[in-house]
Amino acid sequence: MKKLPTTLILMSTLGLSVQAAELPYQQQYADQMGAEAPHKTDLTDATPNAEGGAVYANRNFSEFSVVSWNFAPSPTPLIFNESITPLNNDEVLHLEGTNTDGYIVVKDGTIVKEYYAQGMYKTTKHAVYSVGKSYTSATWHNQLLPVMDKTVSQIIPELADSIYKDITVRDVSDMRTPTYWAEDFGDPNSPVVLSGSATGWDFKDAQYEQISFLNSLTRNPELADGDWYYVSPNTLLLDNMGSELSGKHAYEGMKAFYDKLGFEYISNTVANLHGQVSADGGQSYTLRDFVKLPHAMAADGIVNGKEAISQTYIDDVFTSNPEKTAAFKNSAYGAALPMLKFYSNQWYVVDEDIAIGMGSFGQFIAFNKSTNVAIAKFSTYKIGQDFEIAANDIAWLIEQVKSY
C-alpha cells in the first residue's frame, strides 16, 4: 500500500466522514449486478476495480477461482441474539459514502446494528481479502505460538535455500521479513502476478505451487532485517507451517476452526490445483460469520461456552516491545496510519484493548476486548487500495468500536 498524503492522515485522525463516493454506488450495482456476469476468466482479471467487475466478483469468488473449497456450517452454530436499532443519519452517510456492502455490530453476543446494501442479505457470501490474514493467524495459533522462535527452515526444510531460511516464525507473523514484494499488476514478472497461479486466483502455470513460489522470492535490497514491510506471501507461509505442524490438511484446519467459531452459513475459499489455499485473502464469508472472529477475540476466546481461541494468543496479539513498535511506526503504513500502534500476528493493534484486520476494497473487522464489542464491514471501493476512503473508514470504525 502507498503512503497517505498528510491531508488524508489529518482527515483520518479526526474521523471525518466522506459524504459521497466518486462513483455513485447505485450505479455500480446497475453496471455490475445485472443478469449477465462480467466477461472475466479469473480473479486476477475480475477484481481490478469496481467498474471492471469487483462488485460482482466480491460476491462470487468461487465463480472465478481455479478451485473453490466449500465449508459446511458448524454442527454447533453460534446464533447471535438480536436487539437491532436503526442506523442514525451519520451512520447511513458514512456507510453509503464508503460503498459499504454490509455492516454489523455485536455487543455481548447480541447484534445491535446490521446493514446490508442493495443485493446483499445475511446469507450472501462476500470476499474478505487481506482480513483473511487475521483468520489464518488465528486458525493455526495453537501450532504457531509454541514455535515463534524457530526458523522457517526448521519447520519446512524445502525452504532451506529461500529468503525465509533463517527468518523466525515470529518475524513472518509480524511482517518483519526483508522479502521483495511489489503489487504491480501491470508487470507480468511482478511477484503479485506470479502469485496468482500459486494461490488459485488464476490459471497460468499448473505446476506453480506455493513452496516453489516462496522459494522464488528474493530479498528487498531496501530493507534491513527486522524492518516492517507488508508481504502477502508471509501469510501463505504461515498457513503451510501451521498445516505442517498440525499434521492436518489446510482444509481440515480451517473447517475445525470455523466449527469452533460457530459459523452458521456456508463459506468458501480460493485454492490451487495442489490443494493449497489462498490463506492471504481468498476467503468468502457471510457478514454474520465474518464478525465471529472479532467476537471471539473480544469475548476472551470463548464461543458457545467453549474455548475457540486461547487467551495466550489474544495476549500475544497485544504484546509488543520498543523494537517491534518502532519497526511498524517507521514503516510506510505506520506513517500513513498513525492511529495504529503496531502490527502483531496479522492484526493491526490500536491500543491495549482494540485491534483490527483490514483488506482491499474496504473489508474490516474490529474488536474491543474491554467492552466485548465486535464489528465487521464489507465494502467495494471503486479501487482496491483507495487510501482516502480507507483512512476515513479506519478512523470511523475505531470510533464506533469505542462507543458501545
Side-chain angles (χ1 to χ4, degrees), residues 8-179:
L8 301 184
I9 295 174
L10 176 60
M11 182 181 72
S12 68
T13 304
L14 294 176
L16 302 178
S17 293
V18 174
Q19 296 301 307
E22 180 183 346
L23 178 69
Y25 205 29
Q26 290 76 11
Q27 186 62 43
Q28 292 185 33
Y29 288 120
D31 292 344
Q32 299 301 332
M33 296 305 293
E36 185 177 358
H39 296 290
K40 308 295 182 182
T41 58
D42 54 50
L43 282 173
T44 302
D45 191 28
T47 62
N49 53 63
E51 290 180 306
V55 172
Y56 183 91
N58 283 351
R59 308 178 192 190
N60 295 278
F61 255 40
S62 61
E63 290 192 18
F64 299 100
S65 59
V66 174
V67 177
S68 178
W69 294 352
N70 295 309
F71 301 92
S74 169
T76 55
L78 170 62
I79 309 297
F80 292 122
N81 297 318
E82 297 183 25
S83 181
I84 301 171
T85 58
L87 299 174
N88 61 43
N89 288 338
D90 289 340
E91 290 169 328
V92 171
L93 277 174
H94 181 86
L95 295 176
E96 291 187 350
T98 54
N99 288 13
T100 303
D101 291 328
Y103 173 72
I104 190 169
V105 181
V106 176
K107 165 74 174 174
D108 295 325
T110 297
I111 301 172
V112 296
K113 296 282 185 178
E114 189 171 34
Y115 165 89
Y116 295 100
Q118 182 180 354
M120 290 286 294
Y121 189 60
K122 64 182 180 180
T123 58
T124 308
K125 294 186 294 296
H126 193 288
V128 308
Y129 289 94
S130 285
V131 181
K133 293 177 170 64
S134 303
Y135 264 87
T136 296
S137 169
T139 295
W140 301 113
H141 73 276
N142 284 329
Q143 288 73 38
L144 296 174
L145 280 181
V147 298
M148 282 292 184
D149 293 329
K150 287 191 175 183
T151 63
V152 169
S153 60
Q154 288 178 294
I155 298 170
I156 302 181
E158 294 87 345
L159 294 173
D161 295 323
S162 74
I163 180 65
Y164 291 105
K165 61 181 179 181
D166 296 324
I167 295 175
T168 65
V169 176
R170 171 73 67 189
D171 283 346
V172 173
S173 185
D174 292 346
M175 293 290 184
R176 297 179 65 189
T177 69
T179 311

Side-chain angles (χ1 to χ4, degrees), residues 44 66 191-204 208 213 270 272:
T44 302
V66 174
V192 70
V193 174
L194 295 175
S195 73
S197 294
T199 55
W201 283 58
D202 58 45
F203 185 76
K204 292 190 173 92
Y208 210 36
F213 170 67
V270 178
N272 67 17

